[in-house]
Structures are given as C-alpha cells and as structure tokens.
C-alpha cells in the first residue's frame, strides 16, 4: 500500500462505508471475510469517525473511550498511535475510513497532509466510480418506471398496481424507509387521496384513504399552499420538526415534494427516513418528483379516460335523441308517399326561378326537392329512401331562423340543381349526388347566428371545433341523417367513404371566411390560366366556389324576392346585434337595427365585394354558368339606385 510506506506507517487499514455500517474485509487464507460495525458511537474508532466525519489522531491511551470503547478495528497488538482519516464526498458523505498506525517516532505533519490530499484523490476516484454506478442505477430505475407505464398503458397493470410499482421502485432506489403519495382532488387544493404501503405488506401500495384535508397537517399545508419543497432532518434543523409539529420519534428525515405548478397542484410525494444518511439528497428530490409526476399523470389519464367514456355515452344518447326529433311523423311519411308529388313549374330550370308565395304557403318545397333529385337520379336505389331523407332534412332546419331555414336550403339546392343540369358532364354521378345532398343539408340545425357570435358568446360549438363552427356542426348533423336513413348504404365501401368525405368538405366550404382565404389563390390560378379541373385539387376548388355561389343564390333572384330574402337575413343579424350591444361589444352596421337605412348601401357593398367576385370567378372557371353573374349585376344596379323608402313600395 503506497500511502502506508510514504507516511512511514507500520500498518494501515481501510474500512468501507456501506450505508449503515463500516466494513473491513479481512483476508484469511484465500477468503475475504467482512467484519462490520454500525456507523454510530459505541464500537470501534473507524465507526465513530464515519459517524462524526472527523479526522482523528489518537495515542494508544485514547484508543478506547466512551465513543469508541472497542478501540481500533485491528485485532492483536495495538500500535502506539494511529491516524484515522474519513474520505468524504463533496456533500459530506463518508465513502471509506483509512487508518494508519505508527509505533515509534510518530507521523510527520506534512506526510499526514499528503495522506489527506491523497485520500481526497482516492475519494474523487471513488466518487467518479460512484457516479458511473449511480448513472447505471438511474438508467435501470428509469427503465423500470417506464416499463411500469408501458404495462399500465397495455392494461397489464391496474392504476393502483402501477402507482404501487412506481412508488416502491422509487422508495428502494432512493433508500427511503417509507413513501406516501397524496393525489390532490381536482379543484380542491387542500383535499387529497392518500396512497401508501399497506400495514400488512410494505410492498403493496394502495389508496388508503380518501379526501384528506391537508390543512390539518402543518407540513403538508405548507407544501400545498406555498408549493415549496421541504427537506428536513432531525438534529441540525430540529426546529423544523417543531415548526411542523412532527412528534413521531421514529421519523428522522422527511422530504416533501409538490407535483404540478404553483397555479395547479396535482399531488405531493412525502418520503420518510433516508436509510443510510441523516437526510435526503438533492438528487433524491429529482427522483421523487419524477415518480410523483408519473403517478399524477396516470391518475389524470385514467380520469380523462373515464370522462371521455362518459362523454361518448352522453353524446351517443344525445345523437339518438336528436335523430328521434328529426324523424318525421309517420303520417307525414304516409301522406308524402301516398299523394302525387307536386311537380315544379317548367321554368324552374332557370337560375332566377323562385317559388311564389302561394307555393311557399302550400308547403311544396319538399315536393320540389324530391323532383329535382328524381330528375337527376331517377331509378337509383338512393331514391327509394329519399322521401324520408328529405322530410328529416326539412325537420332538421329550424323554423325559428328567419333566413337559415328550409327555404334557404331549398333556394341553394335549386341553384345547385340548375348548375348540375347545365354542366352535368363536368361531374361524375357520385359527385353530382354529393353536391346536391351537401347543398340540401349545408345549413341543417342552423341556430340563426354567425360564427363570430358563437365565438363571442362562448357557445359550446365554438369549443367543439377549431374553426367553421357552424359548418362543422351542419356536417355532423348531416352524417347522423345519412347514417339513420342509410341512403348511401348501397354504395361500395370506397364510394361510401368518398361520398361522406366529399360532402363534409363541401359543407365546410360554405364558410365564407374559408372562401375569402382561398379566393386570392383561385383568382391567380384562373388569371394565369393554370386552372385545370381534371386535377382533383382544382376540381375541389371549383366545387367549393359552386357551393358558395349556391349559398348566395338568394342575391340573384328577381329583385323583389331578393329583397325579401335579404330582409329575412337582416332579422337574424339584428338579433345578434342586439346581443352584442347588451354586452357592450362593437356592432357592425349590418347588425345594427338603428342603421336599417344603410341596408341598400350595405347590399351594394355585399354584392360588390362578396357575391359578384364569387360568381365572376365561377364564370371564369365554367363560362356556361354566366347567369348568376348577369343576374347579380342587375340586382347590384337596383340596390345602387333604390332608396330604403322605395324598398317597401
Ligand atoms: Zn347557407
């Protein structure tokens, strides 16, 4: 041993600190026998030095005293004097104890210093070795915990079993005697469910009590309310034990870690009594915190899963209720099937046709819709179920909406019918069917409000969808209708999917905000003569423009009809404006009933900036569809010339 000869020692020994005891390995023949002593006063000098972390320089007469009555850990003849050097880590942990004996002249001081310095190098080497080992241990620890999560997600472990496995792995890894996990009950910062090892088996962890009020425990209250980590031990900081009223004599050290953030506490992990040290280390805090995060996450995951199941159940039940309300009365179905369906007048094939007031009062719109669909799809299996579909669709539109009602759906569907008839070669049979059905359903269950209103009033639909709240809702209700009526069940699976996907895209395309976002791109496409409707993406753009054109078709009817349609829209808009005013929010002139005299000018703006650019783009894409453009321009001229007072005459 190098140090032994350098210091001139007659003999030297090393004791390993193995947690709660110092161990000396004695070689006898070919075997090494460990002999150990607890790290505390009352046995050998090395155990006492490990306990106090002090370097001792002892004469023979001092080898045995009340602190170390067994003297040196060396059997047989005792030396005259001995130096005992604890090798300390930077955080004051004793790794080993070295003992050097000298019989005659004693140690030279500089050699003792050298021994101390050398001891530090040895300690550093041991620390590096320890770090390597602990990294390996940490890797295994993390792998074990991740495996617990994996088993939980694969449903091989229940929630309790997973928490149990994580907490026990953590407890053993950081060498704590006990661990308690507090799961904070949502929205009640100081109420918690407690998970800990059962009294009969410390390796089974379970929820032992529910809804504990943490205010009754000073330590937990401090951690919960102030979101602080508390790491205390008996001894140096005994006043903390008093502060937190910890009176249990079996508790020597406590580490309490909050999980979550100061705004939202999710849980607290409390570990008690570090086995091989007076208190817990900083690295323990990280491991405790990680284990707590994992446990909190899986509890949260489980709760979300339960909520999701409940929500799906509720949604399915509401879907059944909604469908039931949309199913037409059996008498209406019988009547629709038994009487001859009224045919629309021959000139209904033009864009500017609109049912007369008499036709509207005779409730003929469903009949006319049936005729239009039959005109396009006569003899198709689809038509066998179409009567129920159209009656359900009619019922799905709210009569309380003055504009977004079945009459508007009819108006838009009629425009679509004329377009499809005019250029049927442009669209496949299924495309025609999707365009017609999407148009008929495009505003189903419309509440008579705009998307910005839904957002401002925090309507549930604005939470359900990211954008185009209404259009997504109409599409969703349409899907319910399709499923109930089974109108596409005769299609091959791929065609069925293409049909419902296409209908969804078409309905969502009626969101004007989306239309404006695409408009510039489409204008450039047409201007640069790059538009090619044989390309699927371009074809979809064309269909979107057609959907918007049909949706706006009330603006290119004979002026008197357009005027009435426009007023019915203003009735809806003014109701919305009233609500905005009541909330002190800014109101646009089109929503402000006190500015009704601005209607002609607002209409001029609407036609110039929305309707005409849209139908103009359409005619550029499909020149044969020029009528909507011509009719819109005519109405624009009238709106420009008319004063409000004349609108009623
Ligand atoms: Zn519409």
């Amino acid at each position: 041993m190098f140090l032994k000869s350098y210091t001139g020692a007659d003999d030297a020994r090393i004791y390993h600190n193995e947690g709660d005891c110092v161990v000396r390995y004695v070689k006898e023949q070919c075997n090494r026998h460990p002999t150990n002593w607890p790290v505390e006063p009352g046995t050998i000098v090395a155990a006492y030095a490990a306990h106090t972390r002090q370097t001792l320089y002892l004469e023979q007469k001092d080898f045995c005293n009340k602190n170390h009555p067994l003297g040196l850990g060396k059997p047989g003849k005792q030396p005259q004097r001995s130096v005992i050097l604890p090798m300390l880590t930077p955080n004051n942990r004793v790794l080993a104890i070295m003992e050097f004996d000298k019989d005659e002249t004693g140690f030279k001081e500089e050699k003792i210093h050298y021994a101390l310095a050398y001891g530090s190098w040895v300690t550093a080497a041991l620390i590096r070795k320890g770090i390597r080992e602990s990294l390996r241990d940490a890797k295994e620890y993390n792998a074990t915990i991740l495996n617990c999560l994996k088993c939980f997600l694969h449903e091989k472990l229940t929630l309790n079993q997973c928490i149990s496995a994580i907490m026990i792995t953590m407890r053993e890894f950081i060498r704590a005697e006990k661990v308690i996990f507090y799961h904070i009950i949502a929205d009640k910062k100081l109420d918690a469910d407690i998970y800990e090892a059962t009294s009969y088996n410390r390796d089974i962890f379970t929820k032992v009590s529910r809804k504990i009020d943490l205010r009754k425990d000073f330590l937990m209250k401090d951690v919960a309310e102030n979101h602080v980590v508390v790491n205390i031990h008996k001894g140096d900081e005994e006043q903390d034990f008093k502060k937190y009223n910890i009176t249990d004599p079996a508790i020597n050290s406590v580490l309490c870690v909050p999980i979550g953030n100061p705004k939202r506490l999710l849980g607290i992990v409390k570990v008690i009594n570090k086995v091989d040290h007076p208190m817990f280390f900083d690295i323990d805090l990280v491991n405790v915190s990680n284990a707590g995060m994992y446990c909190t996450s899986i509890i949260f995951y489980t709760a979300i899963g339960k909520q999701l199941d409940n929500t799906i159940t509720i949604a399915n039940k509401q879907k059944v209720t909604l469908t039931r309300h949309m199913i037409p009365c059996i008498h209406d179905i019988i009547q629709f099937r038994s009487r001859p369906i009224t045919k629309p007048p021959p000139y209904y094939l033009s864009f500017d046709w609109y049912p007369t007031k008499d036709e509207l009062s005779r409730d003929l719109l469903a009949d006319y819709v049936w005729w239009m669909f039959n005109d396009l799809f006569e003899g198709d299996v689809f038509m066998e179920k179409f009567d129920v579909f159209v009656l359900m669709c009619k019922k799905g539109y709210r009569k309380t909406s003055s504009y977004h009602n079945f009459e508007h759906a009819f108006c838009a569907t009629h425009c679509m019918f004329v377009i499809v008839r005019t250029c049927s070669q442009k669209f496949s049979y299924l495309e025609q069917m999707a365009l017609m059905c999407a148009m008929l359903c495009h505003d189903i269950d419309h509440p008579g409000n705009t998307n910005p209103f839904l957002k401002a009033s925090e309507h549930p639909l604005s939470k359900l969808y990211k954008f185009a709240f209404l259009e997504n809702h109409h599409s969703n209700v349409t899907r319910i209708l399709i499923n109930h009526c089974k109108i596409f069940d005769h299609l091959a699976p791929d065609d069925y999917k293409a049909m419902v996907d296409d209908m969804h895209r078409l309905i969502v395309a009626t969101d004007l905000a989306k239309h404006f976002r695409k408009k510039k791109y489409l204008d450039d496409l047409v201007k640069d003569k790059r538009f090619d409707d044989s390309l699927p993406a371009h074809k979809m753009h064309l269909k979107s423009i057609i959907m918007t054109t049909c949706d706006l078709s009330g603006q290119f009817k004979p002026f008197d009809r357009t005027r009435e349609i426009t007023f019915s829209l203003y009735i809806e808009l003014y109701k919305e404006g009233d609500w905005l005013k009541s909330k002190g929010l800014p109101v646009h002139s089109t929503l402000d009933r006190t500015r009704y005299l601005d209607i002609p000018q607002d209409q001029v703006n609407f036609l110039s900036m929305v309707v005409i650019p849209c139908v103009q783009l359409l005619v550029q894409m499909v020149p044969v569809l020029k009528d909507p453009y011509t009719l819109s321009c005519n109405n624009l001229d009238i709106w420009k010339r008319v004063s409000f007072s004349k609108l009623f005459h």
Side-chain angles (χ1 to χ4, degrees):
M1 196 174 166
F2 172 72
L3 270 183
K4 179 182 159 190
S5 61
Y6 184 82
T7 53
D10 298 319
D11 197 7
R13 291 166 297 285
I14 188 160
Y15 302 83
H16 299 263
N17 185 359
E18 298 194 351
D20 48 1
C21 59
V22 292
V23 180
R24 185 176 167 219
Y25 291 91
V26 181
K27 197 169 181 183
E28 285 180 5
Q29 294 174 346
C30 291
N31 299 319
R32 294 176 81 221
H33 295 290
T35 312
N36 58 59
W37 299 268
V39 179
E40 59 187 24
T43 59
I44 63 168
V45 178
Y48 179 71
H51 176 69
T52 60
R53 300 178 184 78
Q54 289 175 353
T55 299
L56 302 172
Y57 185 89
L58 300 176
E59 295 293 330
Q60 192 183 63
K61 63 181 172 49
D62 301 320
F63 286 170
C64 302
N65 65 21
K66 65 178 174 40
N67 290 325
H68 34 85
L70 301 182
L72 301 179
K74 171 190 178 175
K77 185 172 176 282
Q78 296 297 298
Q80 291 295 317
R81 55 194 65 81
S82 188
V83 174
I84 300 94
L85 299 175
M87 290 192 269
L88 299 172
T89 65
N91 58 7
N92 221 23
R93 189 175 169 208
V94 180
L95 285 182
I97 310 289
M98 290 193 293
E99 261 179 17
F100 299 101
D101 299 342
K102 186 83 173 164
D103 274 330
E104 294 174 359
T105 54
F107 295 102
K108 287 186 178 171
E109 195 176 334
E110 70 273 16
K111 297 213 168 178
I112 294 298
H113 285 168
Y114 179 81
L116 273 170
Y118 187 81
S120 300
W121 282 103
V122 172
T123 306
L126 287 170
I127 288 170
R128 280 188 62 188
K129 180 170 172 280
I131 287 171
R132 275 201 302 276
E133 284 172 359
S134 59
L135 278 175
R136 194 183 61 230
D137 291 348
K139 208 171 160 187
E140 281 173 17
Y141 167 71
N142 286 324
T144 308
I145 288 194
L146 281 176
N147 193 43
C148 295
L149 285 181
K150 202 168 146 190
C151 291
F152 172 74
L153 293 173
H154 288 186
E155 297 179 357
K156 289 177 185 163
L157 285 180
T158 63
L159 176 66
N160 265 3
Q161 285 170 335
C162 189
I163 291 175
S164 182
I166 290 172
M167 283 298 163
I168 287 166
T169 304
M170 182 269 284
R171 184 189 70 196
E172 298 307 307
F173 183 67
I174 68 164
R175 296 178 63 77
E177 208 171 274
K178 190 174 179 184
V179 54
I180 305 168
F181 172 57
Y182 298 78
H183 173 242
I184 305 298
I185 296 163
D187 302 328
K188 291 194 174 178
K189 195 177 175 185
L190 293 170
D191 282 358
D193 290 339
I194 297 183
Y195 293 76
E196 65 176 305
T198 57
S199 55
Y200 53 88
N201 186 343
R202 72 189 297 267
D203 288 334
I204 295 177
F205 216 81
T206 189
K207 189 194 283 189
V208 292
S209 46
R210 291 176 58 82
K211 290 191 180 177
I212 297 301
D213 185 353
L214 298 181
R215 275 169 289 230
K216 292 176 181 166
D217 182 322
F218 294 135
L219 173 59
M220 302 310 292
K221 184 172 183 285
D222 190 23
V223 174
E225 286 189 337
N226 302 315
H227 204 82
V228 289
V229 173
V230 173
N231 186 6
I232 52 173
H233 68 103
K234 204 187 270 181
D236 292 350
E237 297 172 55
E238 200 160 347
Q239 69 274 21
D240 283 334
F241 271 50
K242 285 186 185 140
K243 173 182 159 189
Y244 292 125
N245 198 26
I246 301 172
T247 52
D248 184 347
I251 296 179
N252 297 316
S253 53
V254 180
L255 171 63
C256 233
V257 183
I259 309 296
N261 61 55
K263 283 187 184 164
R264 186 165 182 203
L265 180 71
L266 302 171
I268 297 174
V269 185
K270 179 155 85 174
V271 285
I272 296 169
N273 290 352
K274 178 88 175 168
V275 170
D276 54 359
H277 200 268
M279 69 184 292
F280 291 94
F281 304 135
D282 289 347
I283 188 69
D284 293 333
L285 163 65
V286 175
N287 292 316
V288 169
S289 180
N290 286 349
M293 284 298 288
Y294 284 128
C295 289
T296 310
S297 301
I298 59 171
I299 291 175
F300 195 62
Y301 173 88
T302 307
I304 294 276
K306 279 182 188 165
Q307 269 181 23
L308 183 64
D309 288 346
N310 284 344
T311 308
I312 289 172
T313 308
I314 291 167
N316 284 336
K317 286 198 168 172
Q318 286 178 342
K319 204 186 277 183
V320 171
T321 308
L322 175 66
T323 311
R324 203 169 54 234
H325 283 290
M326 283 166 63
I327 294 172
C329 165
I330 188 68
H331 301 103
D332 290 343
I333 299 174
I334 291 170
Q335 193 201 26
F336 195 84
R337 283 177 176 167
S338 58
R339 67 174 169 78
I341 296 174
T342 313
K343 196 175 177 180
Y347 45 91
Y348 85 119
L349 279 167
S350 63
F351 282 104
D352 59 350
W353 174 78
Y354 199 82
T356 61
K357 285 189 177 168
D358 176 55
E359 287 168 306
L360 291 173
S361 66
R362 285 166 56 210
D363 198 16
L364 294 175
L365 298 188
D367 284 36
Y368 290 175
V369 169
W370 188 91
W371 269 109
M372 290 190 282
F373 275 80
N374 194 57
D375 187 290
L376 295 170
F377 312 115
E378 188 176 7
D380 195 297
V381 186
F382 164 81
M383 285 310 293
E384 291 171 13
K385 299 162 188 166
F386 187 72
D387 46 7
V388 176
F389 181 75
V390 73
L391 290 177
M392 272 187 89
C393 190
K394 184 182 166 197
K395 214 172 170 190
Y397 279 89
R398 301 187 192 184
K399 289 180 180 164
T400 49
S401 300
S402 58
Y403 174 78
H404 290 99
N405 47 36
F406 189 61
E407 188 179 323
H408 166 65
F410 172 82
C411 176
T413 308
H414 167 256
C415 183
M416 181 63 79
F417 169 68
V418 180
I419 289 175
V420 169
R421 278 287 303 256
T422 309
C423 44
S424 57
Q425 74 290 349
K426 270 206 178 302
F427 304 106
S428 71
Y429 185 74
L430 290 182
E431 278 180 322
Q432 292 179 23
M433 200 175 268
L435 283 164
M436 287 295 288
C437 290
M439 206 69 251
L440 182 63
C441 301
H442 83 282
D443 272 335
I444 197 162
D445 197 42
H446 199 297
N449 298 112
T450 61
N451 280 327
F453 171 85
L454 297 189
K455 191 168 187 182
S457 61
E458 298 183 349
H459 191 280
L461 286 178
S462 69
K463 309 262 169 66
L464 195 56
Y465 305 107
K466 281 186 186 165
F467 57 89
F469 318 130
L470 285 166
E471 291 72 16
N472 275 293
H473 175 63
H474 305 321
S475 173
N476 195 23
V477 178
T478 302
R479 183 71 72 92
I480 294 171
L481 212 68
I482 291 170
N483 289 343
H484 179 79
C485 295
K486 305 185 190 310
I487 51 166
F488 299 132
D489 281 16
H490 60 288
L491 297 178
D494 286 353
D495 286 344
Y496 183 95
K497 187 175 182 310
M499 172 66 76
V500 292
D501 288 352
D502 209 17
M503 281 183 65
H504 171 72
R505 282 193 291 268
L506 293 171
I507 292 175
V508 173
T510 59
D511 175 22
L512 271 183
K514 192 173 181 183
H515 167 74
F516 289 129
R517 282 197 297 272
K518 278 190 175 177
K519 179 88 177 30
K520 172 80 177 67
Y521 169 74
L522 291 173
D523 282 338
D524 291 346
L525 213 59
V526 171
K527 199 172 77 188
D528 301 343
K529 301 194 186 316
R530 285 184 291 119
F531 177 72
D532 176 2
D533 61 16
S534 67
L535 299 172
H538 290 200
K539 185 77 164 288
M540 191 60 218
H541 290 317
L542 169 63
K543 290 195 278 188
S544 299
I545 292 296
I546 288 176
M547 289 296 288
T548 306
T549 299
C550 295
D551 203 10
L552 299 170
S553 59
Q555 293 302 316
F556 48 84
K557 296 296 170 188
F559 186 77
D560 281 353
R561 307 321 309 272
T562 290
R563 185 195 60 190
E564 283 168 18
I565 290 166
T566 303
F567 284 172
S568 69
L569 175 59
Y570 273 90
I571 291 171
E572 280 187 17
L573 296 177
Y574 286 159
K575 276 187 196 163
E576 200 163 298
D578 294 345
W579 183 87
L580 290 169
K581 281 182 198 168
S582 73
K583 298 289 171 191
L585 295 168
V587 180
H588 187 265
S589 68
T590 53
L591 304 180
D592 187 348
R593 64 173 73 248
T594 65
R595 296 179 65 180
Y596 64 91
L597 292 176
D598 293 345
I599 287 180
Q601 184 55 48
D602 284 336
Q603 280 303 106
V604 167
N605 295 341
F606 184 60
L607 277 149
S608 313
M609 290 188 269
V610 181
V611 182
I612 291 176
C614 175
V615 292
Q616 199 169 23
L617 183 59
L618 177 65
V619 82
Q620 286 169 327
M621 288 169 150
V622 189
V624 71
L625 298 175
K626 60 183 185 319
D627 287 357
Y629 175 70
T630 314
L631 293 166
S632 301
C633 290
N634 289 343
N635 278 349
L636 173 64
D637 283 344
I638 301 175
W639 282 115
K640 277 180 181 170
R641 281 185 276 112
V642 81
S643 68
F644 187 84
S645 56
K646 285 187 184 164
L647 285 175
F648 293 102
H649 300 294

